[in-house]
Amino acid sequence: MPRTIQTSPLTRAAFTPFGEVLDVDGPADKMINEGLCGRYHDRAKLDFNDGRAGISLFNAQKRSLPLTLNMMERHPDGSQAFLPMHRNPFLVVVAADDNGAPAKPLAFVTTPGQGINFHRNVWHGVLTPLHDPGLFAVVDRIGDGANLQEHWFDQPWQITDSN
């Protein structure tokens, strides 16, 4: 029988150990374009061992809760940002490291207008849109060598909606 995790709303405070929440919460850092555009400046720490930052587009299939979590992954050579190209919530799963494997995962649901940036080497679930479309811009490391480690759980986790 799977172990259970309940989702929580994605907040900056809860997500800080794993990365940054990307949104336009609060006043803009600077007004630009003749005062018609608020710039929320430098919101994510892009961190790469080598290679370069690249922007890719991911078009993921929507998933539903409850969801079985069999695997988590991490990227030891670079951070990874997910920027939805829609206003729908998506599921974000993260875990601290426990001697080279994920500790107990945490599950968050974003609100419209939130994206995330995973710090380099943070265990996380795969891109999991909860609605169609599942279109995201992804900023991550482009370079030689494998930048992916996967961990498959002996016993899966069941992620349920807290509502």
Side-chain angles (χ1 to χ4, degrees):
M1 172 176 241
R3 301 168 285 180
T4 302
I5 304 165
Q6 280 199 323
T7 62
S8 300
L10 181 67
T11 65
R12 189 170 271 105
F15 196 70
T16 294
F18 309 103
E20 295 90 19
V21 174
L22 307 176
D23 60 18
V24 292
D25 188 36
D29 296 306
K30 183 177 184 179
M31 294 304 295
I32 60 173
N33 298 341
E34 300 176 23
L36 300 175
C37 179
R39 179 177 176 142
Y40 293 78
H41 185 71
D42 199 20
R43 292 292 172 131
K45 179 183 179 194
L46 301 180
D47 178 21
F48 308 113
N49 280 341
D50 58 12
R52 62 180 175 81
I55 299 173
S56 302
L57 300 179
F58 287 22
N59 194 10
Q61 291 183 7
K62 85 171 185 176
R63 312 276 187 98
S64 299
L65 296 174
L67 177 86
T68 301
L69 178 68
N70 292 305
M71 184 269 296
M72 293 185 79
E73 64 184 34
R74 67 180 176 179
H75 308 286
D77 292 328
S79 55
Q80 188 176 48
F82 290 96
L83 306 166
M85 298 178 73
H86 51 72
R87 303 251 330 143
N88 296 320
F90 62 100
L91 181 68
V92 178
V93 179
V94 292
D97 184 71
D98 183 13
N99 294 314
K104 181 181 179 181
L106 302 171
F108 301 101
V109 175
T110 64
T111 59
Q114 286 182 321
I116 54 97
N117 181 55
F118 295 119
H119 288 165
R120 184 168 54 90
N121 218 29
V122 164
W123 289 109
H124 62 86
V126 299
L127 179 59
T128 311
L130 298 173
H131 302 274
D132 285 327
L135 186 60
F136 289 75
V138 178
V139 180
D140 62 359
R141 176 189 169 273
I142 307 296
D144 293 333
N147 183 29
L148 174 66
Q149 293 177 345
E150 294 180 342
H151 177 85
W152 291 82
F153 294 109
D154 292 333
Q155 182 180 3
W157 293 93
Q158 188 79 24
I159 301 172
T160 60
D161 193 351
S162 60
N163 295 329

